[in-house]
């Protein structure tokens, strides 16, 4: 028994040691397994990375090879294209465009008398304008002018309208522009219909007066004199003008819709008695007019209505200078010098965003409208009489050219320009400016006098006292004489 007791502790210790060893062995095995698994996982990640890297390298190499082949192919002389019939039209269309050279002056000058004449039974229209299709231009020079108006966002288009005696510019409206007109000759009866059709304002205009039709206002013009009416019309858009005539609207409306809207005697049968003419009636003059119209009346509406749409530019205040005269149909912030009718027009124009300012500029023989620019407007002008020379300086170029009757000029905002009379007779312009606000202008003599002498001396490398030689006159020299 004593022996048993003696050896029991020894066996127990041995068992415990064996158990510990077994547990350590198992733990070590697990750790080894985990380590092997982790190494295997790391190897898998490394393998995936290497595979992706290899794929990227191969893809890049293939792409570079394709790009190189394409580049080499395109850079080789393609002499065979010259002999392929389908390629010849491409050469004929591309080469002229590359070789086409237009005098830069036609960005600013349009010889309107050379443009297309749109003939109608009652008159004719010509345009100095932008056209969305280049095929509608008659010449590269006309295209250059139209493109210039559009690219510089001029907000101006010009048209001439000639109406024969008793002819009628059909009732119409413009979707995208206000219209300002100057009557050069003749006598016309104007009609304007306001919103709702409650008021139709009618009045007579004579040569030297200005008319104004806000955008989307229905209006008509009828010649009630013995001679042709000749209008200069300015529109406040540099895009293609969009216009709708009343006869076109009527014939585009379904008969039943027109009948239900107008409710005439005989209903739809009456509507069916209307027949669209083959010839465009934009300016209308039926050959049997005497049989159609028995009792025409030309009513003058009250002044409070009429003078919103008309301005007597010829009878307005003359701003006189040594070398010429300027008159204005515009908004005046200080209207103290305006009469009641002129105030009505001034305020009405200012209410319409993107309306225009009109002016006449008369330059005496050898007179000079000195170099100047406008802060807040593009300028467009039409030569009514005389001849002259124009100079333009902008950031790209300096250009000068001669002008004659019927020519149209365009001066972008901020562009310095001058106009000199070179004929024995006065040079007379009708000018339009793209602002409904009062025009802001700066002349060369004004900005040089306003600049300190020491600044001018430093700028021009000229002694300061030399600039005392530039005199200041009490009389404004905007249009001067030698």
């Amino acid at each position: 028994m004593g022996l048993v007791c003696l050896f029991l502790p020894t066996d127990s210790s041995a068992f415990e040691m064996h158990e510990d060893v077994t547990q350590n062995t198992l733990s070590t095995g697990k750790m080894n397994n985990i380590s092997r698994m982790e190494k295997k996982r790391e190897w898998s990640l490394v393998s995936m990375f290497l595979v992706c890297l290899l794929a990227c390298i191969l893809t890049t190499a293939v792409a570079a090879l394709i790009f190189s082949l394409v580049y080499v192919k395109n850079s080789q002389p393609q002499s065979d294209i010259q002999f392929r019939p389908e390629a010849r039209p491409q050469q004929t269309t591309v080469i002229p465009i590359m070789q086409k050279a237009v005098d830069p002056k036609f960005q600013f000058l349009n010889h309107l008398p050379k443009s297309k004449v749109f003939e109608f039974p009652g008159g004719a229209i010509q345009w100095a304008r932008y056209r969305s299709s280049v095929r509608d231009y008659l010449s590269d020079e006309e295209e250059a002018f139209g493109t210039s108006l559009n690219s510089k966002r001029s907000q101006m288009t010009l048209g001439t309208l000639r109406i024969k005696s008793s002819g009628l510019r059909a009732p119409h409206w413009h979707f995208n522009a206000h219209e300002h007109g100057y009557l050069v000759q003749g006598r016309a009866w104007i009609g304007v219909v306001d919103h709702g059709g409650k008021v139709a304002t009618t009045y007579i205009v004579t040569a030297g007066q200005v008319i104004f039709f806000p955008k989307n206002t229905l209006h008509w013009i009828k010649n009630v004199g013995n001679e042709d009416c000749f209008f200069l019309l300015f529109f406040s858009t540099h895009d293609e003008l969009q216009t709708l005539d009343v006869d076109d609207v009527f014939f585009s409306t379904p008969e039943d819709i027109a009948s239900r809207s107008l409710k005439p005697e005989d209903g739809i049968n009456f509507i069916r008695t209307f027949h669209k003419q083959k010839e465009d009636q934009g300016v209308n003059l039926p050959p049997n007019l005497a049989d159609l119209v028995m009792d025409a009346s030309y009513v003058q509406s009250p002044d409070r209505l009429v003078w919103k749409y008309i301005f007597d530019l010829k009878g307005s205040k003359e701003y006189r200078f040594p070398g010429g005269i300027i008159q204005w149909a515009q908004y005046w912030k200080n209207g103290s010098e305006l009469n009641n009718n002129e105030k009505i027009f001034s305020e009405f124009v200012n209410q319409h965003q993107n309306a225009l300012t009109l002016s006449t500029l008369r330059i005496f023989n050898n007179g000079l409208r000195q170099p100047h620019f406008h802060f807040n407007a593009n300028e467009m002008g039409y030569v009514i009489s005389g001849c002259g020379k124009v100079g333009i300086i902008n950031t790209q170029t300096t250009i000068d050219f001669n002008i004659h009757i019927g020519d149209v000029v365009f001066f972008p905002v901020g562009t310095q320009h001058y106009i000199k009379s070179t004929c024995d007779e006065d040079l007379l312009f009708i000018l339009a400016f793209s602002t409904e606000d009062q025009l802001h202008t700066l002349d060369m003599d004004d900005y040089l006098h306003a600049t300190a002498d020491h600044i001018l001396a430093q700028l021009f490398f000229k002694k300061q006292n030399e600039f005392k030689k530039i005199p200041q006159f009490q009389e404004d020299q905007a249009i001067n004489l030698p």
Side-chain angles (χ1 to χ4, degrees), residues 95-110:
I95 291 176
I97 292 175
M98 293 176 63
Q99 294 180 347
K100 181 171 65 176
V102 179
D103 191 323
K105 72 181 182 182
F106 289 107
Q107 298 176 59
F108 313 102
L109 172 66
N110 180 295

Side-chain angles (χ1 to χ4, degrees), residues 115-176:
S115 67
K116 181 177 179 179
V117 179
F118 293 84
E119 297 280 0
F120 302 91
I125 298 176
Q126 286 181 285
W127 293 104
R129 62 190 269 188
Y130 165 75
R131 298 181 182 279
S132 56
S133 173
V134 295
R135 291 175 295 183
D136 292 336
Y137 293 110
L138 288 186
S139 65
D140 295 339
E141 291 78 13
E142 190 178 36
E143 179 186 347
F145 185 80
T147 301
S148 177
L149 291 182
N150 186 258
S151 64
K152 293 180 173 60
R153 306 188 67 80
S154 66
Q155 295 183 17
M156 282 189 289
T157 286
L158 183 143
T160 60
L161 170 64
R162 187 175 296 278
I163 309 177
K164 300 175 184 176
S165 180
S166 299
L168 168 70
R169 174 63 183 102
H172 64 283
W173 65 93
H174 308 291
F175 287 61
N176 61 335

